Amino acid sequence: MSDKQALLRRLPSVDSLLAQRAVHELTQIYGRGLVVEALRAQLADTRRELLESQRTDFRESALIDSIEQSLRRRHKTTLSPVINATGVIIHTNLGRALLSVSAQGAMASAARAYNTLEFDLETGARGSRLIHAARILRDLTGAEDALVVNNNASALILILSALAKGREVVISRGQLVEIGGGFRIPAIMRESGAALVEVGTTNRTRIDDYAEALNERSAMILRAHASNFKQIGFVQQPALTELTALARARGVLAVDDLGSGALIDTAPFGLDHEPTVQESVAAGADLVCFSGDKLLGGPQAGIIVGSASALAKLKSHPLARALRVDKLTYAAMIATLEHYRRGDALEQIPVWRMIACSLGDIRAQAESWSAQVGGSVISGESAVGGGSLPGTALPTALLAIDCASPQRALEQLRRADPPVIARIAENRVLLDPRTVLPEQEADLLQALQSIN
Ligand SMILES: *Cc1c(COP(=O)(O)O)cnc(C)c1O
């Protein structure tokens, strides 16, 4: 028997490997089927290598290591937590708004136990899920009624399908926006069967432009907030009160797509004023729609508030069923809204806590990082993000790290556990403490120590 054959005979069997503790632990993570498959593939590879190369030995521990690595590579989860050191508070690619502790708890309770999602405790009969967040939304916004759907894009689709199908919707040319990820207002309108009537010019639209376009086929005037860009210079848009007065006089609806939809004024934080939901309701809009996971700071959802008669039509449309949200979303939404009612949103809702965080606190944080891992502290800007407040930023302090290749450092940070997402400017890696959670700091510093 040749040496090679003797060597091959010493290769362990699948069964003997399965009996090893390290491999047994892998079966508890990945299941026996996947582990057996990986063992067979690895043994076949090793056998081929031994036959074809000059190798005269193998180590069983190395074999097990490579099985573990290949399992980890092939079956790593695609949705996992990261450390957001970009300073972009509502980062759409990183999951937008984080939830408050009480919203997290409300989701866990709703997940654990049966609940009254569609059950009326008074009568013991079937109830409606559509009531859940409605009362608190009415209280907070002053609107007559409210409805929660899957996201703000769904809200628009439902509004246009239920109230403007086969009819005309008048919108300013300056508001035919693409929101991101290819989501364009004109495309949505086409899909819902509403005919788009563009008025005005890119930079200026007057109330008379709207008035001239309205006719017996018109269903509504739609205003869409230019959430991700800013027009400056020779620009003009009528005030919402002018639009709602015109709509009322001509018997059409006035609908305001606020995009982010703040319930709290952003101006006291040195930001531009983001229009609030309360302002749009007070201005007389029949319907106002906005996202749940942008400045509201809650779960992904689209919220529609407005007149009881318009909302009744939305609720009874077949699409309302297709676009409805589940119990987890309701639970998180109500818990988030309760912060606004109690008046503790700035402390408890992460989006607002990050917006309100003082520059002094952020600088102290950056300096403490710098003392531990090096780098210098520089002034910079954080962004609110999420298609809100374009062109305005929050002054921040950044940890700036010089490295031979910032690109490579960014890659190394992304490979850390948990991954760290940072940015580069002027050939340095920049880390913004504003969006890093206190409990993530130790991991962040460890990841920073390993870059070069
Ligand atoms: C973000 C945004 C939307 C889409 O909201 P989603 O909740 O992401 O579906 C629609 N309109 C405007 C103006 C927006 O800014």
Side-chain angles (χ1 to χ4, degrees):
M1 190 165 63
S2 76
D3 289 350
K4 273 252 140 103
Q5 276 166 332
L7 187 60
L8 289 177
R9 272 166 190 271
R10 279 183 29 232
L11 271 177
S13 69
V14 168
D15 282 334
S16 75
L17 284 169
L18 278 171
Q20 298 225 9
R21 188 194 170 119
V23 178
H24 180 70
E25 279 167 9
L26 290 177
T27 65
Q28 295 187 322
I29 301 173
Y30 298 102
R32 197 168 185 279
L34 286 181
V35 174
V36 168
E37 195 184 298
L39 288 172
R40 289 212 176 102
Q42 184 60 48
L43 285 171
D45 279 356
T46 310
R47 184 172 295 116
R48 196 173 329 108
E49 234 180 277
L50 290 176
L51 275 172
E52 291 168 4
S53 73
Q54 303 301 315
R55 263 178 68 181
T56 54
D57 210 357
F58 65 89
R59 285 209 334 272
E60 204 166 292
S61 62
L63 216 119
I64 294 173
D65 279 351
S66 41
I67 288 163
E68 180 170 3
Q69 273 162 28
S70 96
L71 283 166
R72 192 176 315 139
R73 242 191 340 268
R74 286 190 53 197
H75 303 286
K76 73 168 174 241
T77 71
T78 54
L79 181 64
S80 54
V82 301
I83 297 175
N84 174 10
T86 65
V88 180
I89 298 173
I90 306 169
H91 198 307
T92 294
N93 302 147
L94 303 183
R96 288 201 185 158
L98 304 183
L99 297 179
S100 73
V101 171
S102 88
Q104 295 167 35
M107 281 186 109
S109 313
R112 202 160 40 231
Y114 292 108
N115 58 44
T116 53
L117 181 64
E118 293 187 350
F119 188 81
D120 186 335
L121 286 175
E122 297 279 326
T123 62
R126 179 176 178 175
S128 166
R129 74 171 67 206
L130 301 184
I131 62 165
H132 293 303
R135 183 172 317 128
I136 188 165
L137 281 166
R138 286 199 298 266
D139 292 348
L140 291 171
T141 66
E144 286 174 8
D145 202 2
L147 174 64
V148 181
V149 292
N150 181 61
N151 58 6
N152 194 28
S154 314
L156 271 176
I157 290 172
L158 178 59
I159 290 170
L160 293 167
S161 306
L163 304 170
K165 196 184 196 108
R167 299 179 64 199
E168 293 181 358
V169 174
V170 180
I171 184 168
S172 161
R173 286 208 165 80
Q175 295 169 8
L176 293 171
V177 299
E178 173 166 326
I179 286 141
F183 177 79
R184 292 178 166 179
I185 295 271
I188 288 287
M189 297 180 71
R190 261 195 311 279
E191 281 304 313
S192 56
L196 185 67
V197 178
E198 305 168 27
V199 297
T201 59
T202 304
N203 57 332
R204 285 171 81 89
T205 306
R206 299 186 189 82
I207 190 72
D208 289 348
D209 296 324
Y210 286 94
E212 281 161 26
L214 290 173
N215 61 56
E216 66 287 348
R217 292 181 304 277
S218 310
M220 71 177 64
I221 294 174
L222 175 65
R223 184 178 85 153
H225 184 45
S227 21
N228 48 11
F229 69 103
K230 189 172 173 175
Q231 284 194 323
I232 49 170
F234 190 55
V235 296
Q236 180 186 354
Q237 289 289 341
L240 186 58
T241 46
E242 290 179 86
L243 293 178
T244 58
L246 175 65
R248 189 149 310 123
R250 302 289 290 272
V252 299
L253 297 170
V255 176
D256 195 18
D257 171 13
L258 276 181
S260 201
L263 290 175
I264 294 179
D265 188 5
T266 47
F269 304 99
L271 295 162
D272 281 356
H273 173 70
E274 174 82 12
T276 67
V277 182
Q278 300 92 311
E279 285 163 2
S280 295
V281 171
D286 296 284
L287 291 171
V288 182
C289 62
F290 52 99
S291 291
D293 54 356
K294 291 183 182 172
L295 276 172
L296 192 83
Q300 178 191 302
I303 298 174
I304 309 171
V305 301
S307 77
S309 60
L311 274 148
K313 291 190 186 124
L314 300 185
K315 289 180 189 177
S316 60
H317 192 274
L319 268 181
R321 165 65 194 248
L323 303 175
R324 73 183 190 181
V325 298
D326 80 328
K327 57 185 186 281
L328 302 180
T329 301
Y330 276 120
M333 180 59 73
I334 293 165
T336 302
L337 293 169
E338 274 166 357
H339 291 300
Y340 292 94
R341 180 152 69 190
R342 280 199 300 271
D344 62 8
L346 291 186
E347 298 84 46
Q348 297 297 328
I349 297 181
V351 166
W352 285 96
R353 193 169 58 223
M354 289 174 188
I355 289 176
C357 192
S358 83
L359 181 55
D361 285 352
I362 295 175
R363 185 169 294 279
Q365 201 61 265
E367 269 157 12
S368 128
W369 292 357
S370 155
Q372 293 174 74
V373 297
S376 51
V377 177
I378 62 169
S379 294
E381 290 182 335
S382 320
V384 175
S388 40
L389 300 159
T392 68
L394 293 158
T396 197
L398 302 162
L399 177 65
I401 299 181
D402 283 301
C403 18
S405 162
Q407 279 301 347
R408 207 166 69 100
L410 233 52
E411 271 167 40
Q412 288 172 328
L413 288 173
R414 286 202 306 274
R415 277 201 296 269
D417 181 23
V420 175
I421 316 298
R423 59 185 156 124
I424 296 175
E426 289 164 17
N427 236 18
R428 287 188 290 191
V429 173
L430 302 181
L431 301 129
D432 190 334
R434 190 185 294 274
T435 48
V436 175
L437 305 175
E439 65 267 28
Q440 294 176 325
E441 249 181 83
D443 284 333
L444 172 73
L445 294 174
Q446 189 166 1
L448 289 176
Q449 253 140 7
S450 66
I451 65 172
N452 45 49

